[in-house]
Amino acid sequence: MISIRDVHKSYGTVEVLSGCSTEVKKGEVIVVCGPSGSGKSTLIKCVNGLEPIQSGEIVVDGISVAARRTNLPKLRARVGMVFQHFDLFPHLKVIDNLTLAQRKVLGRREEEARARAFSLLDRVGLREHAHKHPGELSGGQQQRVAIARSLALDPICMLFDEPTSALDPEMINEVLDVMVALARDGMTMIVVTHEMGFARRVAHRIVFMDRGKIVEDAPTADFFAAPKTDRARQFLSKILQH
Amino acid sequence: MGPLDFHVFLQPVPTGETTYLGWLLQGLRTTVLLSACAWAVALVLGSLLGVFRTVPSRALRAIAGAYVEVFRNVPLLVQLFIWYFVVPEIVPGGERFKQIDPWLQQFLASMFCLGLFTAARVCEQVRAGIESLARGQRNAALALGLTLPQTYRHVLLPMAGRIIVPPLTSETLNVFKNSAVCSTIGLLELTAQGRQLVDYTARAYESFLAVTVLYLLLNAAVLLIMRKVEARTRVPGYLGSGR
């Protein structure tokens, strides 16, 4: 469903992605991990065209992201994305955060959009907060709203950019629970995260990045049991020490 | 200086159709009308230019940047003289402009001058407001499939607008105060009426005391209105802390 082929990207003279390639099949959950600055976030921002690429190709559901004729807004509406800092729209109530894009991008009618929004708020356990503003919610609640906001557009796949990194430890699980449920429902997902417990439980494959390169791309069990590269071994030993 | 005598305001003016107080109030009315119109021009144009300064297009950013530099760096008084004395001579249709009612000529020149001058300042506030929003806001909106204009319309501008209410309040006060400059081209606004009063009555202290009080009352009213705007647009739970 998503294919990333030999993608290169640089900011000025600094190359942040050098020749990344991988494939994500329908219903697959991929966890992208690696040290900070390795290009994980940049890579998934390229998938929905938030970051332009200099060479290579990214194809989502048969559509080339970087092609000039591609209608990016239309493509992005089909690719959900959840950010590290939630980025809910602070001036809109929770319910309006969920209906804005449904109405403006998909052209749904108000009642239809609200019905979809409420069913998703039920799913993430926040229906009673529908009429609050994002600033009145905890970080964990905000991130669940952000996930619901993406799902409201009925995306064909979801991108998660360190969705729990900005959360207090006690709120991480409520967000991961929603993501696990989503994965179990068969959603195609690319997740950038350091949550190795989550990776073990739901990821089909682990993509390990270092300095702009994908250095390892392996089934989850293999990756944790026997990482092939020294760099990945080193990373795992540090992150799993405690 | 003799004792202050405020009875002068109740005396009829030489032409007899009103009192000196009536002149001051007419001046006040012109000041309010002029400032309100100029503020409307500044708000619309300034918001548009402020948006231009933050879009990806280099050409639009350059246009807005040049506008700000020109209008911010030429003295307001010089700009007023250019609008009133020079522009009608050089633009097509200037001849017809010079045939309309002189009051309207003065008013329109003043309105455009103040409005365009203030637009440069509003532009910078709007730009700062948009830039103070978390960069993630733009990405979040785009990631949902909103187009760039929709992102500005529904996400960036509503929040930036709220953030810049306090600095815009001081710009509003500036418009009212700067409008006094327009007395130099003969527009009979509050300051000009005050000077006229001195000419006719030789009561300088009383006249400018009255003018001062009227400006203070006017700006107190502006402050009150802007406080209401601020309270009404406050977002629950939002502390305005940009990430």
Side-chain angles (χ1 to χ4, degrees):
Chain A
M1 171 173 289
I2 301 170
S3 110
I4 299 171
R5 294 173 205 147
D6 196 27
V7 166
H8 287 259
K9 174 176 179 60
S10 39
Y11 295 113
T13 55
V14 186
E15 191 158 56
V16 285
L17 295 178
S18 38
C20 296
S21 301
T22 192
E23 293 277 333
V24 183
K25 289 197 280 288
K26 189 165 187 301
E28 240 183 341
V29 177
I30 308 294
V31 161
V32 182
C33 62
S36 357
S38 58
K40 314 175 296 271
S41 292
T42 309
L43 183 67
I44 67 164
K45 281 186 183 135
C46 291
V47 172
N48 65 353
L50 282 181
E51 294 281 358
I53 59 176
Q54 264 94 51
S55 72
E57 194 179 31
I58 297 178
V59 179
V60 177
D61 197 30
I63 297 162
S64 172
V65 177
R68 194 171 282 259
R69 63 177 187 285
T70 297
N71 182 340
L72 263 186
K74 206 170 153 191
L75 178 67
R76 284 172 180 151
R78 303 176 64 210
V79 180
M81 185 159 198
V82 173
F83 299 87
Q84 182 174 3
H85 294 290
F86 338 131
D87 291 308
L88 296 175
F89 308 134
H91 62 294
L92 297 180
K93 288 176 184 163
V94 165
I95 181 74
D96 298 323
N97 264 276
L98 265 68
T99 57
L100 177 68
Q102 290 190 65
R103 290 189 293 116
K104 301 297 171 189
V105 178
L106 301 186
R108 285 183 186 157
R109 283 196 321 269
E110 178 75 31
E111 318 86 77
E112 192 189 352
R114 287 175 73 88
R116 181 83 183 110
F118 274 116
S119 87
L120 283 162
L121 286 176
D122 270 339
R123 185 158 160 191
V124 299
L126 292 169
R127 174 184 269 265
E128 69 274 27
H129 297 288
H131 295 285
K132 288 186 182 168
H133 282 80
E136 298 171 290
L137 302 180
S138 73
Q141 290 171 328
Q142 288 190 51
Q143 194 61 300
R144 280 145 68 198
V145 172
I147 294 172
R149 178 175 70 174
S150 285
L151 292 175
L153 300 180
D154 302 314
I156 55 171
C157 59
M158 289 282 289
L159 310 170
F160 291 85
D161 185 7
E162 303 206 26
T164 57
S165 300
L167 293 175
D168 289 340
E170 66 211 61
M171 293 173 184
I172 289 176
N173 280 330
E174 62 187 72
V175 172
L176 290 180
D177 287 345
V178 171
M179 291 168 62
V180 169
L182 201 55
R184 299 261 147 90
D185 285 352
M187 176 62 81
T188 309
M189 294 161 64
I190 303 182
V191 185
V192 173
T193 185
H194 296 296
E195 295 295 333
M196 290 301 128
F198 169 82
R200 268 185 219 249
R201 264 165 76 202
V202 298
H204 297 102
R205 261 172 40 226
I206 309 287
V207 167
F208 178 76
M209 291 184 71
D210 188 33
R211 286 183 221 161
K213 286 197 169 71
I214 292 179
V215 294
E216 204 148 332
D217 184 346
T220 307
D222 299 357
F223 179 78
F224 284 108
K228 286 194 277 295
T229 58
D230 282 347
R231 191 66 191 84
R233 243 192 311 276
Q234 214 178 11
F235 178 80
L236 275 181
S237 74
K238 274 186 189 144
I239 209 165
L240 297 176
Q241 220 165 36
H242 302 286
Chain B
M1 165 191 165
L4 291 176
D5 175 15
F6 289 101
H7 288 107
V8 62
F9 293 120
L10 300 177
Q11 291 167 12
V13 298
T15 46
E17 83 273 6
T18 180
T19 59
Y20 286 115
L21 180 64
W23 270 6
L24 283 183
L25 294 180
Q26 279 171 17
L28 181 68
R29 207 168 54 206
T30 304
T31 291
V32 171
L33 190 64
L34 169 64
S35 306
C37 291
W39 184 232
V41 170
L43 215 51
V44 172
L45 184 63
S47 303
L48 191 68
L49 289 165
V51 167
F52 280 8
R53 290 207 72 163
T54 62
V55 296
S57 157
R58 255 184 217 179
L60 289 181
R61 285 209 310 265
I63 290 170
Y67 180 96
V68 169
E69 291 314 324
V70 169
F71 282 85
R72 204 167 51 171
N73 292 329
V74 175
L76 180 57
L77 188 58
V78 174
Q79 292 189 32
L80 181 64
F81 288 166
I82 290 174
W83 282 110
Y84 188 60
F85 297 115
V86 181
V87 171
E89 301 295 333
I90 54 175
V91 300
E95 283 306 315
R96 243 185 298 154
F97 177 78
K98 285 193 279 183
Q99 281 152 22
I100 61 175
D101 179 33
W103 180 86
L104 196 58
Q105 284 182 42
Q106 293 160 352
F107 186 87
L108 288 175
S110 301
M111 180 183 93
F112 280 114
C113 172
L114 263 185
L116 270 60
F117 173 80
T118 311
R121 308 180 56 95
V122 171
C123 164
E124 286 304 273
Q125 302 294 357
V126 170
R127 176 181 67 83
I130 292 171
E131 284 176 356
S132 77
L133 297 176
R135 179 163 168 70
Q137 289 283 300
R138 181 186 297 251
N139 274 348
L142 293 175
L144 286 168
L146 295 173
T147 61
L148 194 63
Q150 285 177 326
T151 298
Y152 272 93
R153 161 76 184 79
H154 299 292
V155 176
L156 299 179
L157 284 176
M159 215 42 225
R162 286 171 165 88
I163 289 171
I164 63 173
V165 171
L168 280 188
T169 302
S170 84
E171 289 307 332
T172 316
L173 298 177
N174 279 340
V175 172
F176 280 86
K177 288 182 287 182
N178 286 339
S179 67
V181 168
C182 303
S183 64
T184 56
I185 59 167
L187 184 71
L188 282 176
E189 44 66 76
L190 185 52
T191 302
Q193 292 287 16
R195 287 216 323 244
Q196 188 166 243
L197 224 70
V198 179
D199 291 342
Y200 280 80
T201 65
R203 289 282 176 184
Y205 294 102
E206 289 87 343
S207 299
F208 280 107
L209 198 61
V211 167
T212 304
V213 169
L214 287 176
Y215 273 117
L216 285 176
L217 286 176
L218 194 56
N219 278 346
V222 169
L223 268 178
L224 215 66
I225 291 169
M226 293 302 276
R227 288 268 159 74
K228 284 251 159 67
V229 171
E230 207 177 332
R232 173 121 3 140
T233 57
R234 211 177 59 82
V235 173
Y238 187 79
L239 299 172
S241 55
R243 268 190 303 267

